[in-house]
Structures are given as C-alpha cells and as structure tokens.
Amino acid sequence: RAKEQGRNSFQLYQPAMNARSLEHLALETALHGAVQRDELLLHFQPLVRAESGELAAAEALLRWQHPELGLVSPADFIPLAEETGLIVPIGEWVLRHACTRHRSWCDAGRVPLRMMVNISARQFRQETFVDMVRRVLVETGMEPALLTLELTESMLMEDTEASVVRMQQLRELGVSLALDDFGTGYSSLAYLKGFPIDELKIDRLFVRGIDRNPRDAALVSAIVSLGHSLGLRVVAEGVETRAHLDVLRRHGCDLAQGFHFSQPLPWQSFLTTY
Ligand code: C2E
Ligand code: MG
Ligand code: MG
Ligand code: MG
C-alpha cells in the first residue's frame, strides 16, 4: 500500500502517467462489481473438423459489457483481473457459465460438442483450483469428458513439477487439457514431452502466413507432425481464409477455428447457427 501511494505521488509530477493510472484505477473499481452487476458474458466460437467442416467444439470467450465503456475486450481487462486477483472469482464464473450453457445444449438434444474454457495463470496456481473445477462439474451436471481446459505454456513453466501434478489431478477428473497459443511461449520440447496434455492449439501468428510463406507452412506442418507423433490432437487458431484451411488440410491438422468459419457469437446466435 505504502509503496503504491509512493508511486502515485511520484506520478503527480508526470501528468500523462497519472492520467493512465487513474484510468487503471477506475477500470479496476468497475471490474470489482462486474460479476455482481451481471456485466460479464461469454461469446462462443466454433471449432470445426478441418477435413469435413463439422462442428466439434466451442471455445468460451469472455466479454465485459460496461455501461459506459461498451464491450471491453479480454485483452484489456484480463491482465488487470490477473493483477488484482479478480480473475479467481471471474474465472469460476466463466467455467460455471460455460458448463451451464453446455448443459442446455445437451438437454436440447444437439450434436455432441466439446466446451473449451481458458484458464489464467493465477487461477491455475490457486490451491483450490482442482476442487473448484470438481465442484462446478458436479453442480452443473457437466460431463467431464466434454470439457477441455486451455492452458498456456508460459503459465506451466513457472513451477513445472507442481503444474504437472495439477494437470494430472485435472485429468483424473476426466477433463482434457489443451495447450493454447502454442509456439509463442518458451516452447521446450522436453517440457512438452512431460506435460499430460491432449491437444495443441497452434497460435494464429503461425497460421497467418501459411498460404504465402513457405517457412510458415513448414512450421505449421512440423507442429502438426510433432503433435501427432506425441498422440495429440492439433488445432489451428486464426483460420481466416479458404487458402489457410486448404494448407491446414494438406498438413493433416485436425481442427480449425477462426473468422473463416465464424466470429465468436453470443449464445443465442450460436444456438441458431449450429
Ligand atoms: P485465445 O484463447 O487465444 O482466444 C482466441 C482469440 O482469437 C479470441 O480473441 C478470438 O476472438 C480471436 N480470434 C478467433 N478467430 C480469429 C481469427 O480468425 N482472426 C483473428 N485475428 N482473431 C481470431 P478474444 O476473444 O479477444 O480473446 C483474447 C484472449 O483473451 C484469449 O486468447 C484468451 O487468452 C483471453 N481470454 C478470453 N476469454 C477468457 C477467459 O474466460 N478466461 C481467461 N483466463 N482468458 C480469456
Ligand atoms: Mg483460448
Ligand atoms: Mg488461443
Ligand atoms: Mg492465441
């Protein structure tokens, strides 16, 4: 606290920074009540089989509908939620909400669908994380085999042994694990070998140029082979064009996700579209 105040009084002499920290503070205050005020919502983006285009899964993506700021993107508030610890209650809300939506999808007799939920580093490190997941599964009646949690490499690198233990506990619950944004973290193949994961999601950074740049295509092809040789399913993120999809198919990528198929959609639109 004292340190924070010291920093703020220092910033009084730097008007631009002070304005930014005030904005930060206002956003933090607003985010505090966002769950209670019912301002959070989830959009859902389809993942389809690259070969057939069939719907295979949906990724839940968090949105914040602020009364004055409008729709705030997760890139703008998730780091803040991480920093303040608010990600813990928010993350639980996300999981519960996604599982509840999934329940209603099943109850309506729709095609089997996997639900993918993003987990943040601070959330994953909570002592009570696995218990929270177990509780939400029971309370929502979510079938564990249809839930996939998305983790990132960087969050697993912090304490790899503890991470592996936690990942094993999650898999014992019956949920599966995906490595999100694959290729952008400190990808160590040795670690990859030791992580109990089911799926790799190739970051869109690598997908963007695959139809024009042979080096990008070579990288994606190598990641698909690597994933398959480790028995993992491989997903490409950021599939924006038919040309992207064609290259991915040629390289045997399993699933595809991106604007070529659909933007993330509000639940109602997802229901009527699929
Ligand atoms: P992510 O998990 O890698 O999600 C994919 C992001 O790429 C989403 O951005 C999605 O809208 C966007 N995207 C999908 N297809 C395309 C495409 O074809 N082209 C381009 N350019 N972008 C595409 P979004 O929804 O803004 O989310 C950004 C990030 O925020 C997510 O990246 C994830 O790291 C984080 N996030 C979102 N929801 C949650 C959440 O509930 N919990 C946590 N911890 N993080 C979340
Ligand atoms: Mg994700
Ligand atoms: Mg991703
Ligand atoms: Mg990404």
Side-chain angles (χ1 to χ4, degrees):
R1 271 289 141 203
K3 198 174 150 205
E4 263 175 49
Q5 273 170 8
R7 208 157 59 206
N8 284 341
S9 50
F10 170 67
Q11 286 177 353
L12 281 178
Y13 299 97
Q14 299 190 4
M17 274 185 74
N18 195 46
R20 207 180 311 145
S21 77
L22 273 178
E23 196 181 296
H24 192 273
L25 197 68
L27 208 60
E28 181 180 335
T29 307
L31 190 56
H32 260 283
V35 174
Q36 286 82 352
R37 286 192 308 269
D38 223 11
E39 292 171 3
L40 297 180
L41 63 150
L42 294 180
H43 281 181
F44 296 86
Q45 189 178 33
L47 280 77
V48 305
R49 289 183 214 295
E51 206 48 60
S52 63
E54 276 173 291
L55 180 67
E59 179 175 3
L61 293 159
L62 184 58
R63 302 290 180 261
W64 177 17
Q65 182 69 63
H66 186 275
E68 281 116 44
L69 299 172
L71 206 58
V72 187
S73 112
D76 294 327
F77 71 90
I78 287 190
L80 180 64
E82 271 265 318
E83 216 177 285
T84 56
L86 282 168
I87 194 66
V88 174
I90 290 176
E92 178 167 347
W93 179 88
V94 168
L95 183 64
R96 188 177 299 278
H97 201 70
C99 290
T100 305
R101 291 307 200 199
H102 189 269
R103 182 74 255 160
S104 74
W105 176 270
C106 295
D107 290 347
R110 310 291 291 265
V111 297
L113 176 79
R114 250 183 331 126
M115 185 59 84
M116 322 232 349
V117 176
N118 293 284
I119 302 299
S120 85
R122 184 147 176 189
Q123 212 187 345
F124 183 73
R125 279 201 305 271
Q126 294 283 306
E127 207 66 62
T128 52
F129 181 67
V130 177
D131 285 332
M132 185 277 285
V133 175
R134 182 186 297 113
R135 187 158 33 80
V136 170
L137 288 171
V138 170
E139 289 171 9
T140 59
M142 173 81 196
E143 191 184 321
L146 295 178
L147 177 65
T148 301
L149 302 180
E150 297 194 4
L151 314 174
T152 60
E153 293 162 281
S154 37
M155 69 191 251
L156 301 174
M157 292 305 167
E158 281 166 34
D159 183 350
T160 50
E161 272 172 52
S163 296
V164 168
V165 169
R166 191 143 298 176
M167 292 166 87
Q168 276 157 351
Q169 292 170 334
L170 290 166
R171 286 177 105 209
E172 279 161 23
L173 295 181
V175 308
S176 62
L177 304 176
L179 213 44
D180 200 1
D181 304 335
F182 184 74
T184 60
Y186 315 90
S187 323
S188 157
L189 299 184
Y191 285 132
L192 187 58
K193 175 174 161 286
F195 284 144
I197 52 168
D198 303 279
E199 192 163 7
L200 289 182
K201 295 189 78 175
I202 307 175
D203 195 77
R204 66 168 183 268
L205 185 74
F206 299 98
V207 174
R208 204 159 45 196
I210 46 172
D211 53 326
R212 286 165 280 116
N213 186 339
R215 294 175 69 93
D216 287 16
L219 271 172
V220 165
S221 166
I223 298 174
V224 172
S225 306
L226 173 72
H228 285 171
S229 62
L230 292 171
L232 307 176
R233 191 163 40 215
V234 182
V235 183
E237 297 187 320
V239 181
E240 294 187 350
T241 64
R242 178 66 212 218
H244 286 161
L245 178 62
D246 287 340
V247 179
L248 291 165
R249 275 184 177 157
R250 209 151 49 230
H251 293 296
C253 188
D254 303 290
L255 301 178
Q257 173 179 12
F259 298 162
H260 175 62
F261 306 101
S262 171
Q263 300 259 341
L265 300 170
W267 179 247
Q268 278 312 322
S269 322
F270 188 88
L271 271 181
T272 49
T273 313
Y274 292 95

mmCIF file of all heavy atoms in Angstrom, residues 79-111:
data_model
loop_
_atom_site.group_PDB
_atom_site.id
_atom_site.type_symbol
_atom_site.label_atom_id
_atom_site.label_comp_id
_atom_site.label_asym_id
_atom_site.label_seq_id
_atom_site.Cartn_x
_atom_site.Cartn_y
_atom_site.Cartn_z
ATOM 1 N N PRO A 79 -5.578 -8.946 -18.082
ATOM 2 C CA PRO A 79 -4.344 -8.660 -17.340
ATOM 3 C C PRO A 79 -4.626 -7.958 -16.008
ATOM 4 O O PRO A 79 -4.005 -8.277 -14.989
ATOM 5 C CB PRO A 79 -3.557 -7.754 -18.288
ATOM 6 C CG PRO A 79 -4.074 -8.100 -19.653
ATOM 7 C CD PRO A 79 -5.527 -8.426 -19.454
ATOM 8 N N LEU A 80 -5.582 -7.043 -16.012
ATOM 9 C CA LEU A 80 -5.967 -6.328 -14.789
ATOM 10 C C LEU A 80 -6.600 -7.286 -13.777
ATOM 11 O O LEU A 80 -6.324 -7.222 -12.578
ATOM 12 C CB LEU A 80 -6.946 -5.205 -15.158
ATOM 13 C CG LEU A 80 -7.473 -4.335 -14.037
ATOM 14 C CD1 LEU A 80 -6.354 -3.543 -13.390
ATOM 15 C CD2 LEU A 80 -8.548 -3.391 -14.571
ATOM 16 N N ALA A 81 -7.422 -8.176 -14.277
ATOM 17 C CA ALA A 81 -8.068 -9.161 -13.406
ATOM 18 C C ALA A 81 -7.035 -10.098 -12.785
ATOM 19 O O ALA A 81 -7.152 -10.499 -11.632
ATOM 20 C CB ALA A 81 -9.108 -9.958 -14.193
ATOM 21 N N GLU A 82 -5.987 -10.416 -13.571
ATOM 22 C CA GLU A 82 -4.888 -11.252 -13.083
ATOM 23 C C GLU A 82 -4.154 -10.536 -11.965
ATOM 24 O O GLU A 82 -3.902 -11.090 -10.902
ATOM 25 C CB GLU A 82 -3.883 -11.484 -14.222
ATOM 26 C CG GLU A 82 -4.164 -12.686 -15.079
ATOM 27 C CD GLU A 82 -3.377 -13.891 -14.598
ATOM 28 O OE1 GLU A 82 -2.192 -13.740 -14.253
ATOM 29 O OE2 GLU A 82 -3.953 -14.981 -14.565
ATOM 30 N N GLU A 83 -3.794 -9.280 -12.243
ATOM 31 C CA GLU A 83 -3.014 -8.467 -11.324
ATOM 32 C C GLU A 83 -3.715 -8.303 -9.986
ATOM 33 O O GLU A 83 -3.080 -8.359 -8.938
ATOM 34 C CB GLU A 83 -2.885 -7.090 -11.982
ATOM 35 C CG GLU A 83 -1.604 -6.341 -11.793
ATOM 36 C CD GLU A 83 -1.694 -5.061 -12.601
ATOM 37 O OE1 GLU A 83 -1.578 -5.135 -13.856
ATOM 38 O OE2 GLU A 83 -1.943 -4.006 -11.994
ATOM 39 N N THR A 84 -5.025 -8.105 -9.999
ATOM 40 C CA THR A 84 -5.775 -7.815 -8.782
ATOM 41 C C THR A 84 -6.308 -9.070 -8.105
ATOM 42 O O THR A 84 -6.831 -8.992 -7.002
ATOM 43 C CB THR A 84 -6.993 -6.937 -9.121
ATOM 44 O OG1 THR A 84 -7.764 -7.618 -10.111
ATOM 45 C CG2 THR A 84 -6.569 -5.591 -9.680
ATOM 46 N N GLY A 85 -6.204 -10.219 -8.780
ATOM 47 C CA GLY A 85 -6.746 -11.438 -8.204
ATOM 48 C C GLY A 85 -8.213 -11.640 -8.542
ATOM 49 O O GLY A 85 -8.790 -12.684 -8.239
ATOM 50 N N LEU A 86 -8.821 -10.642 -9.173
ATOM 51 C CA LEU A 86 -10.240 -10.767 -9.542
ATOM 52 C C LEU A 86 -10.473 -11.904 -10.523
ATOM 53 O O LEU A 86 -11.603 -12.385 -10.678
ATOM 54 C CB LEU A 86 -10.744 -9.455 -10.159
ATOM 55 C CG LEU A 86 -11.050 -8.334 -9.172
ATOM 56 C CD1 LEU A 86 -11.259 -7.015 -9.897
ATOM 57 C CD2 LEU A 86 -12.290 -8.700 -8.355
ATOM 58 N N ILE A 87 -9.411 -12.347 -11.164
ATOM 59 C CA ILE A 87 -9.536 -13.441 -12.125
ATOM 60 C C ILE A 87 -10.053 -14.721 -11.438
ATOM 61 O O ILE A 87 -10.666 -15.559 -12.089
ATOM 62 C CB ILE A 87 -8.187 -13.737 -12.838
ATOM 63 C CG1 ILE A 87 -8.397 -14.629 -14.067
ATOM 64 C CG2 ILE A 87 -7.170 -14.358 -11.906
ATOM 65 C CD1 ILE A 87 -9.177 -13.997 -15.187
ATOM 66 N N VAL A 88 -9.833 -14.820 -10.124
ATOM 67 C CA VAL A 88 -10.267 -16.044 -9.431
ATOM 68 C C VAL A 88 -11.802 -16.164 -9.416
ATOM 69 O O VAL A 88 -12.342 -17.138 -9.942
ATOM 70 C CB VAL A 88 -9.618 -16.170 -8.035
ATOM 71 C CG1 VAL A 88 -10.177 -17.365 -7.278
ATOM 72 C CG2 VAL A 88 -8.096 -16.276 -8.181
ATOM 73 N N PRO A 89 -12.521 -15.164 -8.857
ATOM 74 C CA PRO A 89 -13.992 -15.269 -8.968
ATOM 75 C C PRO A 89 -14.500 -15.175 -10.404
ATOM 76 O O PRO A 89 -15.458 -15.866 -10.765
ATOM 77 C CB PRO A 89 -14.506 -14.093 -8.124
ATOM 78 C CG PRO A 89 -13.341 -13.163 -7.963
ATOM 79 C CD PRO A 89 -12.104 -14.020 -8.032
ATOM 80 N N ILE A 90 -13.853 -14.352 -11.230
ATOM 81 C CA ILE A 90 -14.309 -14.224 -12.618
ATOM 82 C C ILE A 90 -14.127 -15.553 -13.355
ATOM 83 O O ILE A 90 -15.024 -16.003 -14.077
ATOM 84 C CB ILE A 90 -13.563 -13.072 -13.346
ATOM 85 C CG1 ILE A 90 -14.019 -11.712 -12.787
ATOM 86 C CG2 ILE A 90 -13.794 -13.137 -14.856
ATOM 87 C CD1 ILE A 90 -13.270 -10.515 -13.363
ATOM 88 N N GLY A 91 -12.978 -16.170 -13.144
ATOM 89 C CA GLY A 91 -12.684 -17.449 -13.805
ATOM 90 C C GLY A 91 -13.676 -18.532 -13.407
ATOM 91 O O GLY A 91 -14.081 -19.353 -14.226
ATOM 92 N N GLU A 92 -14.066 -18.518 -12.133
ATOM 93 C CA GLU A 92 -15.058 -19.507 -11.681
ATOM 94 C C GLU A 92 -16.404 -19.226 -12.351
ATOM 95 O O GLU A 92 -17.098 -20.148 -12.788
ATOM 96 C CB GLU A 92 -15.206 -19.479 -10.157
ATOM 97 C CG GLU A 92 -16.269 -20.458 -9.678
ATOM 98 C CD GLU A 92 -16.258 -20.702 -8.167
ATOM 99 O OE1 GLU A 92 -15.293 -20.317 -7.496
ATOM 100 O OE2 GLU A 92 -17.252 -21.296 -7.691
ATOM 101 N N TRP A 93 -16.744 -17.942 -12.466
ATOM 102 C CA TRP A 93 -17.995 -17.575 -13.139
ATOM 103 C C TRP A 93 -17.972 -18.085 -14.585
ATOM 104 O O TRP A 93 -18.961 -18.644 -15.076
ATOM 105 C CB TRP A 93 -18.195 -16.046 -13.100
ATOM 106 C CG TRP A 93 -19.447 -15.635 -13.812
ATOM 107 C CD1 TRP A 93 -20.703 -15.539 -13.279
ATOM 108 C CD2 TRP A 93 -19.564 -15.325 -15.210
ATOM 109 N NE1 TRP A 93 -21.591 -15.185 -14.258
ATOM 110 C CE2 TRP A 93 -20.928 -15.048 -15.453
ATOM 111 C CE3 TRP A 93 -18.659 -15.257 -16.271
ATOM 112 C CZ2 TRP A 93 -21.412 -14.700 -16.718
ATOM 113 C CZ3 TRP A 93 -19.129 -14.919 -17.533
ATOM 114 C CH2 TRP A 93 -20.499 -14.641 -17.749
ATOM 115 N N VAL A 94 -16.838 -17.902 -15.266
ATOM 116 C CA VAL A 94 -16.708 -18.324 -16.666
ATOM 117 C C VAL A 94 -16.945 -19.831 -16.792
ATOM 118 O O VAL A 94 -17.733 -20.286 -17.623
ATOM 119 C CB VAL A 94 -15.305 -17.962 -17.244
ATOM 120 C CG1 VAL A 94 -15.068 -18.649 -18.590
ATOM 121 C CG2 VAL A 94 -15.144 -16.446 -17.377
ATOM 122 N N LEU A 95 -16.268 -20.591 -15.934
ATOM 123 C CA LEU A 95 -16.380 -22.047 -16.020
ATOM 124 C C LEU A 95 -17.824 -22.496 -15.764
ATOM 125 O O LEU A 95 -18.385 -23.305 -16.502
ATOM 126 C CB LEU A 95 -15.427 -22.702 -15.009
ATOM 127 C CG LEU A 95 -15.405 -24.228 -15.043
ATOM 128 C CD1 LEU A 95 -14.884 -24.731 -16.389
ATOM 129 C CD2 LEU A 95 -14.533 -24.787 -13.905
ATOM 130 N N ARG A 96 -18.420 -21.937 -14.713
ATOM 131 C CA ARG A 96 -19.784 -22.313 -14.357
ATOM 132 C C ARG A 96 -20.769 -21.966 -15.484
ATOM 133 O O ARG A 96 -21.622 -22.762 -15.867
ATOM 134 C CB ARG A 96 -20.178 -21.564 -13.072
ATOM 135 C CG ARG A 96 -21.501 -21.979 -12.453
ATOM 136 C CD ARG A 96 -21.731 -21.218 -11.150
ATOM 137 N NE ARG A 96 -20.680 -21.489 -10.170
ATOM 138 C CZ ARG A 96 -20.674 -22.564 -9.387
ATOM 139 N NH1 ARG A 96 -21.659 -23.436 -9.444
ATOM 140 N NH2 ARG A 96 -19.689 -22.766 -8.536
ATOM 141 N N HIS A 97 -20.587 -20.776 -16.029
ATOM 142 C CA HIS A 97 -21.474 -20.306 -17.081
ATOM 143 C C HIS A 97 -21.330 -21.155 -18.347
ATOM 144 O O HIS A 97 -22.323 -21.552 -18.965
ATOM 145 C CB HIS A 97 -21.150 -18.837 -17.372
ATOM 146 C CG HIS A 97 -22.242 -18.100 -18.038
ATOM 147 N ND1 HIS A 97 -23.417 -17.777 -17.401
ATOM 148 C CD2 HIS A 97 -22.346 -17.639 -19.305
ATOM 149 C CE1 HIS A 97 -24.192 -17.129 -18.244
ATOM 150 N NE2 HIS A 97 -23.574 -17.037 -19.417
ATOM 151 N N ALA A 98 -20.090 -21.464 -18.709
ATOM 152 C CA ALA A 98 -19.838 -22.277 -19.909
ATOM 153 C C ALA A 98 -20.442 -23.676 -19.735
ATOM 154 O O ALA A 98 -21.061 -24.221 -20.652
ATOM 155 C CB ALA A 98 -18.336 -22.364 -20.191
ATOM 156 N N CYS A 99 -20.283 -24.249 -18.530
ATOM 157 C CA CYS A 99 -20.823 -25.587 -18.268
ATOM 158 C C CYS A 99 -22.355 -25.564 -18.283
ATOM 159 O O CYS A 99 -22.984 -26.518 -18.763
ATOM 160 C CB CYS A 99 -20.321 -26.119 -16.929
ATOM 161 S SG CYS A 99 -18.566 -26.535 -16.946
ATOM 162 N N THR A 100 -22.939 -24.493 -17.783
ATOM 163 C CA THR A 100 -24.399 -24.373 -17.778
ATOM 164 C C THR A 100 -24.937 -24.281 -19.206
ATOM 165 O O THR A 100 -25.934 -24.928 -19.558
ATOM 166 C CB THR A 100 -24.828 -23.138 -16.950
ATOM 167 O OG1 THR A 100 -24.260 -23.263 -15.648
ATOM 168 C CG2 THR A 100 -26.331 -23.031 -16.835
ATOM 169 N N ARG A 101 -24.259 -23.484 -20.040
ATOM 170 C CA ARG A 101 -24.640 -23.397 -21.455
ATOM 171 C C ARG A 101 -24.550 -24.762 -22.115
ATOM 172 O O ARG A 101 -25.433 -25.164 -22.877
ATOM 173 C CB ARG A 101 -23.709 -22.435 -22.212
ATOM 174 C CG ARG A 101 -23.837 -20.979 -21.850
ATOM 175 C CD ARG A 101 -25.253 -20.509 -21.962
ATOM 176 N NE ARG A 101 -25.349 -19.056 -22.078
ATOM 177 C CZ ARG A 101 -26.438 -18.357 -21.837
ATOM 178 N NH1 ARG A 101 -27.533 -18.980 -21.426
ATOM 179 N NH2 ARG A 101 -26.451 -17.058 -22.001
ATOM 180 N N HIS A 102 -23.467 -25.468 -21.814
ATOM 181 C CA HIS A 102 -23.257 -26.775 -22.410
ATOM 182 C C HIS A 102 -24.364 -27.741 -22.018
ATOM 183 O O HIS A 102 -24.848 -28.534 -22.819
ATOM 184 C CB HIS A 102 -21.891 -27.331 -22.007
ATOM 185 C CG HIS A 102 -21.526 -28.570 -22.746
ATOM 186 N ND1 HIS A 102 -21.833 -29.825 -22.262
ATOM 187 C CD2 HIS A 102 -20.941 -28.748 -23.947
ATOM 188 C CE1 HIS A 102 -21.421 -30.724 -23.148
ATOM 189 N NE2 HIS A 102 -20.873 -30.108 -24.173
ATOM 190 N N ARG A 103 -24.762 -27.653 -20.738
ATOM 191 C CA ARG A 103 -25.851 -28.490 -20.225
ATOM 192 C C ARG A 103 -27.125 -28.264 -21.058
ATOM 193 O O ARG A 103 -27.798 -29.184 -21.495
ATOM 194 C CB ARG A 103 -26.081 -28.100 -18.749
ATOM 195 C CG ARG A 103 -27.128 -28.855 -17.987
ATOM 196 C CD ARG A 103 -26.660 -30.236 -17.636
ATOM 197 N NE ARG A 103 -27.318 -31.200 -18.515
ATOM 198 C CZ ARG A 103 -26.892 -32.420 -18.745
ATOM 199 N NH1 ARG A 103 -25.785 -32.865 -18.193
ATOM 200 N NH2 ARG A 103 -27.554 -33.210 -19.537
ATOM 201 N N SER A 104 -27.407 -26.998 -21.330
ATOM 202 C CA SER A 104 -28.638 -26.690 -22.076
ATOM 203 C C SER A 104 -28.505 -27.159 -23.525
ATOM 204 O O SER A 104 -29.480 -27.574 -24.149
ATOM 205 C CB SER A 104 -28.981 -25.201 -21.980
ATOM 206 O OG SER A 104 -28.128 -24.431 -22.785
ATOM 207 N N TRP A 105 -27.307 -27.121 -24.063
ATOM 208 C CA TRP A 105 -27.035 -27.643 -25.409
ATOM 209 C C TRP A 105 -27.363 -29.146 -25.459
ATOM 210 O O TRP A 105 -28.046 -29.618 -26.367
ATOM 211 C CB TRP A 105 -25.563 -27.397 -25.758
ATOM 212 C CG TRP A 105 -25.107 -27.966 -27.064
ATOM 213 C CD1 TRP A 105 -24.584 -29.217 -27.275
ATOM 214 C CD2 TRP A 105 -25.116 -27.319 -28.346
ATOM 215 N NE1 TRP A 105 -24.262 -29.383 -28.605
ATOM 216 C CE2 TRP A 105 -24.578 -28.236 -29.285
ATOM 217 C CE3 TRP A 105 -25.520 -26.057 -28.795
ATOM 218 C CZ2 TRP A 105 -24.434 -27.930 -30.636
ATOM 219 C CZ3 TRP A 105 -25.372 -25.750 -30.144
ATOM 220 C CH2 TRP A 105 -24.839 -26.681 -31.044
ATOM 221 N N CYS A 106 -26.890 -29.879 -24.450
ATOM 222 C CA CYS A 106 -27.137 -31.328 -24.394
ATOM 223 C C CYS A 106 -28.621 -31.612 -24.192
ATOM 224 O O CYS A 106 -29.184 -32.495 -24.839
ATOM 225 C CB CYS A 106 -26.346 -31.977 -23.264
ATOM 226 S SG CYS A 106 -24.577 -31.881 -23.516
ATOM 227 N N ASP A 107 -29.246 -30.854 -23.280
ATOM 228 C CA ASP A 107 -30.666 -31.056 -22.989
ATOM 229 C C ASP A 107 -31.527 -30.835 -24.231
ATOM 230 O O ASP A 107 -32.597 -31.415 -24.364
ATOM 231 C CB ASP A 107 -31.127 -30.138 -21.849
ATOM 232 C CG ASP A 107 -30.531 -30.565 -20.510
ATOM 233 O OD1 ASP A 107 -29.990 -31.688 -20.436
ATOM 234 O OD2 ASP A 107 -30.593 -29.779 -19.541
ATOM 235 N N ALA A 108 -31.052 -29.978 -25.125
ATOM 236 C CA ALA A 108 -31.812 -29.718 -26.350
ATOM 237 C C ALA A 108 -31.558 -30.806 -27.401
ATOM 238 O O ALA A 108 -32.075 -30.722 -28.522
ATOM 239 C CB ALA A 108 -31.453 -28.337 -26.900
ATOM 240 N N GLY A 109 -30.742 -31.799 -27.025
ATOM 241 C CA GLY A 109 -30.512 -32.925 -27.929
ATOM 242 C C GLY A 109 -29.645 -32.588 -29.130
ATOM 243 O O GLY A 109 -29.748 -33.210 -30.184
ATOM 244 N N ARG A 110 -28.761 -31.607 -28.979
ATOM 245 C CA ARG A 110 -27.904 -31.208 -30.090
ATOM 246 C C ARG A 110 -26.708 -32.148 -30.223
ATOM 247 O O ARG A 110 -26.428 -32.945 -29.338
ATOM 248 C CB ARG A 110 -27.425 -29.758 -29.875
ATOM 249 C CG ARG A 110 -28.547 -28.777 -29.547
ATOM 250 C CD ARG A 110 -29.470 -28.552 -30.737
ATOM 251 N NE ARG A 110 -28.796 -27.815 -31.790
ATOM 252 C CZ ARG A 110 -28.854 -26.505 -31.958
ATOM 253 N NH1 ARG A 110 -29.560 -25.765 -31.120
ATOM 254 N NH2 ARG A 110 -28.240 -25.911 -32.940
ATOM 255 N N VAL A 111 -26.007 -32.032 -31.354
ATOM 256 C CA VAL A 111 -24.847 -32.903 -31.602
ATOM 257 C C VAL A 111 -23.826 -32.757 -30.475
ATOM 258 O O VAL A 111 -23.694 -31.677 -29.902
ATOM 259 C CB VAL A 111 -24.149 -32.585 -32.952
ATOM 260 C CG1 VAL A 111 -25.069 -32.837 -34.108
ATOM 261 C CG2 VAL A 111 -23.603 -31.152 -32.977
#
